[in-house]
Amino acid sequence: MYYIAKRLAFYVLAAFVAITVNFFLPRLTPGDPASTIVATYSTSLNAESLAALKAAYGLTDEPLLQQYLTYLGNVLRGDFGRSLSNFPAPVMAVIGAGFGWSILLGLTSVLLSFVLGSVLGAIAAWRRGGWFDKLTPPVLLFLGSFPYFFLALLLFYVFCFKLGWFPMGNAYSSVNPPALNLAGVGDILMHLIAPAFTIVLVSLGPWTLNMRNAMIGVLSEDYLTLAEAKGLQPRRVLLSHAVRTALLPNITALGAAVGAVFSGQLLTEIVFTYPGLGYSLMRAVSAVDYPLMQALFLIITLSVLAANFFVDTLYVLLDPRVRTGGEA
């Protein structure tokens, strides 16, 4: 418990620093969002109209410290102001519309990549030197060397446009989200397959190679040789001892991958017009929507911290050495 409490304190401090930087960074740059919007759209406004615009967007001339304290209170309440590009919709309403879709696409692709990569890497290491070991990691790494947008465009053109196997965009066929019945879930899954497959295909190589290398190191340990000498079945030695230990580096990478769900799939969401947070971030940048950009950047940062704290906690359960060292 001491180890977990110490890590929790560290991540709470890191979250506070992230919130502080998220507040001060845009305010220390020249100009302000309202003036930027006026210049962008060439709108002719007098001083009174500009003041009214700033008030509508929640931009005040209060001292910076007072603004900061107000911002901290708003963040704790989940209030990030109103979106400039979707005015007068609140920022959290805009984020809420895409949050679930990003979670669905991101977690599906990350977990599939983690499971498939770990399994393929374990098999390659267990049968090292064979045809599977010689063929699988190089092929997957070659596919992973392609940029996200290139592979996404290629798969979109072949499977969605030419063959028509999958829908060409969005997360569902109807105007409104479908009901959670068999037909609705099937429609959502059909729209999910192409973008998720793109992310899995690009990211599968590193997962496989990391697991293979970790497994080869573990298989040379003396305790595995002793387990085999005692007559344990090879499958039990592989699953109960080797895989469990070799998974630790991949679990560390899993925390970073889960944390990067919202940012790492940006280009994939754009290509497939998938209505997640990555697509929302692209639109916010294009529209110079400062409140929405700030909220999205903060969510991405906090998600990375939360995922890494989850991994640190999971480490305690998987590796007793971490727990012992923490309590010592």
Side-chain angles (χ1 to χ4, degrees):
M1 290 301 295
Y2 171 76
Y3 174 81
I4 295 178
K6 185 171 65 173
R7 301 306 296 170
L8 177 61
F10 169 79
Y11 285 117
V12 169
L13 177 61
F16 175 75
V17 173
I19 293 173
T20 302
V21 172
N22 194 56
F23 169 81
F24 282 103
L25 192 59
R27 284 165 175 78
L28 295 178
T29 57
D32 59 72
S35 300
T36 303
I37 292 174
V38 170
T40 301
Y41 294 98
S42 300
T43 306
S44 178
L45 296 178
N46 55 31
E48 294 180 358
S49 299
L50 182 58
L53 182 64
K54 289 183 176 182
Y57 291 150
L59 305 168
T60 66
D61 295 325
E62 295 178 346
L64 199 59
L65 179 59
Q66 181 62 40
Q67 293 185 44
Y68 175 63
L69 295 176
T70 303
Y71 177 77
L72 288 180
N74 291 337
V75 168
L76 293 177
R77 294 194 302 270
D79 181 10
F80 292 93
R82 300 193 178 274
S83 170
L84 307 185
S85 58
N86 299 274
F87 190 81
V91 167
M92 290 307 296
V94 177
I95 292 177
F99 185 81
W101 299 115
S102 280
I103 288 291
L104 177 63
L105 174 60
L107 291 185
T108 299
S109 57
V110 167
L111 291 178
L112 282 176
S113 300
F114 171 76
V115 173
L116 291 177
S118 298
V119 170
L120 294 176
I123 296 175
W126 189 254
R127 303 296 183 185
R128 60 187 179 277
W131 67 268
F132 187 86
D133 181 34
K134 294 178 180 179
L135 182 64
T136 303
V139 170
L140 294 178
L141 287 175
F142 173 74
L143 292 174
S145 65
F146 287 98
Y148 267 103
F149 72 91
F150 175 80
L151 199 59
L153 286 172
L154 180 61
L155 295 178
F156 177 84
Y157 177 77
V158 174
F159 294 106
C160 300
F161 181 72
K162 295 295 291 184
L163 299 178
W165 290 359
F166 305 108
M168 294 183 63
N170 211 344
Y172 41 85
S173 301
S174 57
V175 177
N176 297 316
L180 293 180
N181 51 31
L182 187 60
V185 172
D187 182 50
I188 292 174
L189 290 178
M190 283 299 295
H191 286 77
L192 178 68
I193 290 175
F197 180 68
T198 302
I199 299 174
V200 170
L201 200 58
V202 172
S203 58
L204 196 56
W207 291 109
T208 302
L209 186 63
N210 289 341
M211 185 63 180
R212 176 190 178 275
N213 293 340
M215 275 286 294
I216 289 177
V218 170
L219 290 174
S220 63
E221 296 289 340
D222 293 337
Y223 70 91
L224 288 183
T225 304
L226 178 61
E228 293 178 349
K230 286 183 176 180
L232 293 180
Q233 295 181 353
R235 179 180 298 180
R236 183 177 178 184
V237 174
L238 174 65
L239 298 178
S240 300
H241 299 281
V243 169
R244 180 177 178 179
T245 305
L247 268 178
L248 294 177
N250 259 12
I251 288 177
T252 302
L254 179 63
V258 171
V261 157
F262 300 130
S263 57
Q265 61 198 34
L266 169 63
L267 295 176
T268 303
E269 289 186 2
I270 293 173
V271 171
F272 290 96
T273 59
Y274 201 80
L277 295 187
Y279 189 67
S280 298
L281 179 59
M282 186 272 294
R283 295 178 58 189
V285 172
S286 301
V288 200
D289 191 340
Y290 284 87
L292 183 55
M293 282 190 287
Q294 274 189 285
L296 288 172
F297 289 145
L298 186 59
I299 287 176
I300 291 171
T301 304
L302 295 181
S303 65
V304 172
L305 296 176
N308 279 278
F309 175 69
F310 172 77
V311 169
D312 284 346
T313 305
L314 192 59
Y315 248 104
V316 176
L317 302 177
L318 293 176
D319 191 351
R321 294 173 298 180
V322 176
R323 181 171 60 251
T324 303
E327 294 174 352

